């Protein structure tokens, strides 16, 4: 047992000593551990990635505010919240490391049970989260990662890194020439929404900003959604990107890092189930212009992720967790393939969203 876990347990005043610790979760950023005490109680310990989140105290302040706001709205469902230390902080610093702890919620994630009901439930959960925050004043939130979903800036950053690395004759940049060309072709279409957002064309919502399906926990027995997790990136943002990021992940018939591109496609069925859950929950609170741009949101955020993965590949894999040398390149190719398929199916996907906007 590493001493650090016991120290974390002490600081968060856990009722007993630790019996087991195992790595859990499939996040690309933070390190998450499932901790069991001698008395059988389960907890989650998480080490915050401080090279991604430069100011962890600010994220934890955001989370405290957001969870306090939604606490009264959770009904019988568990409400996400981190434990506090004796001094009342919802995180603790050990050496250079920032740690937080929460009671473990026994659950499953859609990754492991992608039924139509679960996909619809995922849409409802993210929609509900957005509704719960509709009366929350986003201006009090810190921008934990500035310009997080500024697709325009993400693409420009990639192209400028590509240029620098071409000048440096970096091998990786030559390997990715084809992907860079494809991203240039998508540039104009992909930056449209974030440019309009920046110009004030869309309402500023308080959004989750990382709506991967595995950020919703479901009851093991009933398969009903319990809670949304991973609130690190809750910030002011666009409704279309929360929708888009969710379907980018969930409607992909392959994993986000599947290397065999013949397995990658955008499932209209899964998209429809998610749209039904999400739009059914939020459509009354969104403007017609937002509702019209959901499919474009899916395309834009998929291109954005392709750009982010490729950028990380060029920069030497400094951001996302990678398991092998080409991991980020594989992810970028996967997302480009998915973006192609979204474009090819765009008209049909638009019809589907319109059905759920009308409330069928
Ligand atoms: C990261 O760590 P995880 O899986 O929650 C990333 C998201 C990406 C996602 C891609 C803070 O999220 O933006 O969509 O990987 N989070 C951050 O898998 O950059
Ligand atoms: Mg996340």
């Amino acid at each position: 047992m590493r001493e650090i876990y016991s120290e974390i347990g002490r600081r968060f005043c856990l009722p007993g000593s630790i019996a087991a610790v195992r790595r859990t979760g499939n996040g690309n950023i933070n390190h998450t551990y499932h901790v069991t005490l001698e008395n059988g109680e389960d907890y989650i310990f998480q080490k915050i990635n401080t090279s991604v989140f430069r100011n962890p105290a600010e994220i934890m302040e955001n989370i405290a505010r957001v969870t306090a706001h939604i606490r009264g709205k959770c009904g019988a469902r568990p409400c996400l919240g981190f434990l506090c230390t004796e001094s009342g902080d919802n995180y603790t610093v050990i050496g250079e490391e920032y740690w937080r702890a929460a009671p473990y919620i026994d659950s499953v994630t859609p990754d492991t049970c992608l039924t139509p009901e679960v996909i619809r439930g995922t849409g409802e959960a993210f929609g509900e989260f957005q509704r719960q925050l509709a009366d929350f004043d986003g201006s009090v939130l810190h921008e934990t990662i500035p310009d997080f979903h500024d697709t325009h800036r993400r693409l420009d950053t990639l192209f400028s890194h590509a240029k620098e690395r071409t000048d440096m004759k970096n091998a990786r940049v030559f390997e990715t020439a084809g992907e860079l060309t494809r991203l240039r072709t998508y540039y104009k279409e992909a930056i449209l929404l974030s440019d309009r957002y920046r110009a004030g064309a869309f309402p500023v919502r308080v959004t989750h900003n990382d709506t991967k399906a595995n950020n919703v926990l479901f009851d093991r027995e009933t398969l009903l959604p319990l809670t949304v997790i991973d609130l690190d990136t809750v910030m002011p943002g666009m409704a279309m990107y929360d929708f888009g990021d969710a379907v980018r992940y969930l409607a992909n018939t392959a994993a986000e890092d599947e290397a065999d591109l013949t397995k990658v496609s955008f499932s209209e069925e899964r998209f429809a189930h998610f749209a039904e859950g999400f739009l059914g929950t939020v459509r009354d609170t969104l403007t017609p212009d937002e509702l019209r741009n959901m499919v474009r949101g899916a395309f834009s955020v998929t291109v954005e992720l392709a750009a982010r993965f490729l950028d990380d590949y060029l920069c030497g894999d400094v951001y996302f967790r990678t398991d092998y040398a080409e991991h980020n390149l594989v992810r970028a190719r996967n997302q480009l393939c998915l973006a192609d398929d979204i474009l090819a199916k765009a008209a049909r996907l638009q019809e589907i969203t319109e059905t759920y906007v009308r409330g069928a």
Side-chain angles (χ1 to χ4, degrees):
M1 179 65 47
R2 273 174 58 199
E3 181 50 33
I4 191 161
Y5 301 117
S6 311
E7 179 58 24
I8 297 165
R10 267 194 296 280
R11 293 198 188 183
F12 289 108
C13 312
L14 300 192
S17 50
I18 293 171
V21 177
R22 50 204 175 279
R23 185 93 190 250
T24 183
N26 45 10
N28 290 323
I29 308 290
N30 298 314
H31 292 255
T32 310
Y33 302 86
H34 181 164
V35 174
T36 306
L37 302 189
E38 302 280 3
N39 70 4
E41 287 182 9
D42 291 300
Y43 292 86
I44 288 292
F45 285 4
Q46 204 170 40
K47 183 168 78 171
I48 303 173
N49 180 329
T50 46
S51 55
V52 168
F53 298 107
R54 301 281 175 175
N55 193 335
E58 288 190 351
I59 324 182
M60 297 313 289
E61 194 182 316
N62 280 356
I63 291 179
R65 286 180 193 271
V66 168
T67 49
H69 184 84
I70 58 183
R71 190 154 301 130
K73 305 182 178 189
C74 292
R77 282 164 296 155
C79 195
L80 185 66
F82 289 102
L83 300 174
C84 285
T85 62
E86 264 179 347
S87 50
D89 297 317
N90 59 356
Y91 65 93
T92 189
V93 187
I94 299 183
E96 307 256 286
E97 299 181 348
Y98 282 70
W99 287 86
R100 56 192 178 192
Y104 177 78
I105 301 173
D106 186 38
S107 55
V108 288
T109 59
D111 275 356
T112 49
C113 53
L114 267 179
T115 64
E117 291 71 28
V118 165
I119 297 174
R120 214 175 292 124
T122 309
E124 285 164 10
F126 282 125
E128 183 58 25
F129 183 74
Q130 207 166 98
R131 273 185 86 95
Q132 288 172 336
L133 291 174
D135 58 346
F136 179 84
D137 174 13
S139 69
V140 303
L141 293 177
H142 303 285
E143 200 175 356
T144 48
I145 303 181
D147 307 319
F148 189 59
H149 278 310
D150 187 336
T151 308
H152 195 158
R153 217 204 81 215
R154 294 284 191 184
L155 283 162
D156 285 352
T157 304
L158 166 70
F159 295 137
S160 92
H161 285 155
K163 167 137 196 358
E164 276 166 30
R165 276 146 183 87
T166 308
D167 297 343
M168 287 152 55
K169 307 216 178 321
N170 176 295
R172 284 191 167 186
V173 79
F174 297 105
E175 206 184 335
T176 59
E179 284 71 29
L180 287 163
T181 305
R182 283 164 75 190
L183 282 164
R184 284 199 180 88
T185 350
Y186 285 155
Y187 187 79
K188 234 172 116 195
E189 173 75 20
I191 67 174
L192 215 98
L193 285 184
S194 63
D195 279 4
R196 289 192 62 206
Y197 176 74
R198 213 187 315 176
F202 296 111
V204 177
R205 310 277 178 195
V206 180
T207 45
H208 184 280
N209 293 311
D210 187 7
T211 50
K212 279 166 79 163
N214 51 20
N215 282 334
V216 180
L217 305 183
F218 283 78
D219 187 289
R220 231 177 244 289
E221 306 294 321
T222 63
L223 290 185
L224 291 171
L226 292 171
T227 182
V228 162
I229 58 166
D230 190 357
L231 308 185
D232 294 335
T233 49
V234 174
M235 281 181 286
M238 274 180 278
M240 298 75 87
Y241 271 46
D242 264 9
F243 176 88
D245 206 10
V247 293
R248 168 190 79 74
Y249 188 80
L250 192 72
N252 190 344
T253 50
E256 182 184 73
D257 59 357
E258 171 61 59
D260 178 357
L261 298 183
T262 62
K263 294 187 180 153
V264 175
S265 70
F266 194 81
S267 158
E268 292 175 25
E269 290 72 31
R270 290 194 200 165
F271 175 85
H273 298 313
F274 183 87
E276 184 180 2
F278 186 87
L279 297 175
T281 310
V282 296
R283 65 171 171 248
D284 300 341
T285 65
L286 301 183
T287 65
D289 198 16
E290 288 179 297
L291 291 165
R292 236 190 332 271
N293 277 297
M294 291 292 159
V295 177
R296 180 171 274 132
F299 172 75
S300 310
V301 81
T302 305
V303 171
E304 178 181 294
L305 260 294
R308 290 179 63 194
F309 289 138
L310 200 62
D311 184 52
D312 199 32
Y313 185 66
L314 294 185
C315 294
D317 308 317
V318 290
Y319 189 94
F320 295 105
R321 175 165 114 192
T322 49
D323 297 334
Y324 55 96
E326 312 273 293
H327 205 160
N328 272 318
L329 179 58
V330 162
R331 288 174 175 140
R333 289 184 171 146
N334 178 309
Q335 296 297 292
L336 271 171
C337 184
L338 191 68
D340 288 343
D341 206 32
I342 296 175
L343 265 196
K345 292 173 177 163
R348 174 76 194 118
L349 299 175
Q350 193 65 27
E351 277 172 23
I352 295 172
T353 55
E354 278 158 22
T355 314
Y356 296 115
V357 166
R358 282 195 302 270

